[in-house]
């Protein structure tokens, strides 16, 4: 049985974290939903090859007391799950997301 291919066709980021989102894969972001999210959409799969680090389920104990004067940390330790997405010529070839070990 042959599996269908998965391609990177869009990417979104919360504007609170990225108030001036950059151009990614030669694509400028658009706004999504309530305007608090930016989204990068590709009419065709990008030819990007590489590994994207991903995190899921932000651990609120890392949220600063005053987010206006303290930066919100952005590192693997602040997510309850961490992993990566490996992409070859825009095609997702491997995904990994595992729970962080408690410390």
């Amino acid at each position: 049985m042959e599996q269908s291919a998965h391609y990177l066709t869009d990417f979104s980021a919360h504007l609170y974290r990225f108030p001036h989102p950059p151009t990614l894969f030669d694509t400028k972001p658009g706004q999504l939903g309530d305007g608090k999210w930016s989204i990068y959409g590709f009419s065709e799969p990008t030819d990007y090859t590489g590994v994207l680090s991903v995190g899921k389920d932000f651990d609120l104990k890392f949220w600063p007391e005053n987010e206006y004067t303290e930066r919100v940390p952005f590192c693997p330790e602040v997510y309850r799950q961490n992993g990566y997405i490996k992409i070859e010529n825009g095609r997702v070839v491997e995904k990994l997301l595992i729970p962080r070990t408690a410390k």
Side-chain angles (χ1 to χ4, degrees):
M1 177 186 242
E2 189 175 319
Q3 288 185 315
S4 62
H6 296 280
Y7 292 91
L8 179 64
T9 57
D10 65 82
F11 177 82
S12 62
H14 198 281
L15 288 174
Y16 187 76
R17 304 267 190 276
F18 305 100
H20 304 289
T23 298
L24 295 176
F25 312 121
D26 297 323
T27 302
K28 292 185 181 199
Q31 288 193 341
L32 179 68
D34 58 5
K36 294 181 181 177
W37 289 84
S38 58
I39 186 161
Y40 299 85
F42 313 108
S43 57
E44 297 179 11
T46 177
D47 61 358
Y48 175 77
T49 294
V51 177
L52 299 176
S53 295
V54 296
K56 185 177 179 184
D57 300 326
F58 182 82
D59 189 340
L60 290 175
K61 73 180 180 185
F62 292 100
W63 191 261
E65 289 183 31
N66 184 342
E67 67 270 18
Y68 297 106
T69 59
E70 298 175 54
R71 297 186 137 232
V72 176
F74 186 75
C75 54
E77 293 81 18
V78 304
Y79 295 99
R80 291 188 174 97
Q81 297 180 62
N82 289 282
Y84 62 86
I85 300 173
K86 185 176 182 182
I87 300 168
E88 291 179 3
N89 294 316
R91 184 173 178 266
V92 177
V93 295
E94 186 178 352
K95 293 188 279 186
L96 176 70
L97 192 62
I98 56 173
R100 179 188 67 200
T101 56
K103 288 193 178 193

